[in-house]
Amino acid sequence: MDRRVRVSLLTILGSSLVLIVARSGQVSAQTAPATAELRINGAVSTPLVLTLADLKNMPRKKLSVVNPHEKKTEAYEGVLLEDLLRKAGVPQGEKLRGPAMASYVLAEATDGYRVIFSLAELDSGILDSDVIVADTMDGAPLGANQGPFRLVAPHEKRPARWVRMLKSIKVERAENP
């Protein structure tokens, strides 16, 4: 083999190794978010920035639900959204009345998907919704295309308000006419 062919082959091999290393670095960065945060703000008395570790240290809820998109049963674990809202100082129980009844929660994903729940829907004194912010499915952390946080609303007939890659929860009050 002449010198030019060897140099060309070595150049191609070197470029291939650089691409492989770069791609493997991207994959590990997507599957292991070191600084995953969930923000809870808006009309709250205590804005929160929660990490995966914070959720792990709170009271946990387990749900087994059938996901119609995947056509399989999934076991989620996380924290009740109601508990997170309580921690943020959102009115609940007997304090949820009058103008506060026109409050709502706007949940947003990193890809821009957004859904709304009325505050009353998330209050166990009014309705048993069991909506959770999940951080595990089937005993494992949520994958990059699902998490690190996912809003799961188990009693809905279709999962239109399930929010994968959840990044923020904002409490808003509807304006009086």
Side-chain angles (χ1 to χ4, degrees):
M1 202 180 315
D2 76 356
R3 188 174 196 285
R4 283 189 298 188
V5 172
R6 276 187 296 200
V7 170
S8 296
L9 287 174
L10 287 173
T11 303
I12 292 169
L13 179 61
S15 298
S16 298
L17 287 174
V18 169
L19 287 172
I20 291 168
V21 169
R23 286 186 181 166
S24 66
Q26 289 173 350
V27 170
S28 65
Q30 289 175 354
T31 58
T35 59
E37 294 179 340
L38 174 63
R39 296 184 178 282
I40 302 177
N41 56 26
V44 301
S45 62
T46 309
L48 301 173
V49 178
L50 301 168
T51 64
L52 285 166
D54 294 329
L55 256 63
K56 295 283 186 212
N57 291 321
M58 296 181 74
R60 310 281 289 170
K61 174 85 175 180
K62 293 181 181 180
L63 300 173
S64 181
V65 296
V66 175
N67 182 338
H69 290 308
E70 304 295 326
K71 294 184 177 37
K72 68 176 189 171
T73 300
E74 299 169 336
Y76 287 96
E77 185 175 335
V79 177
L80 284 169
L81 181 53
E82 177 181 24
D83 290 347
L84 295 174
L85 294 173
R86 181 179 301 111
K87 186 174 178 75
V90 174
Q92 295 177 330
E94 291 301 316
K95 294 179 182 176
L96 183 56
R97 58 174 27 153
M101 288 296 289
S103 298
Y104 59 93
V105 169
L106 174 66
E108 185 171 0
T110 57
D111 65 0
Y113 188 71
R114 300 178 343 157
V115 300
I116 291 178
F117 290 87
S118 73
L119 205 51
E121 286 180 277
L122 303 170
D123 189 306
S124 61
I126 297 172
L127 181 70
D128 290 325
S129 68
D130 290 331
V131 174
I132 67 168
V133 174
D135 54 10
T136 66
M137 182 180 75
D138 298 331
L142 295 171
N145 64 338
Q146 296 295 319
F149 306 106
R150 184 174 190 179
L151 197 66
V152 179
H155 301 303
E156 296 190 344
K157 291 183 178 182
R158 62 185 188 98
R161 292 195 294 177
W162 292 25
V163 181
R164 61 186 177 82
M165 300 181 296
L166 180 67
K167 73 171 185 176
S168 67
I169 295 168
K170 187 173 186 179
V171 178
E172 298 280 347
R173 293 215 169 105
E175 297 282 328
N176 285 335

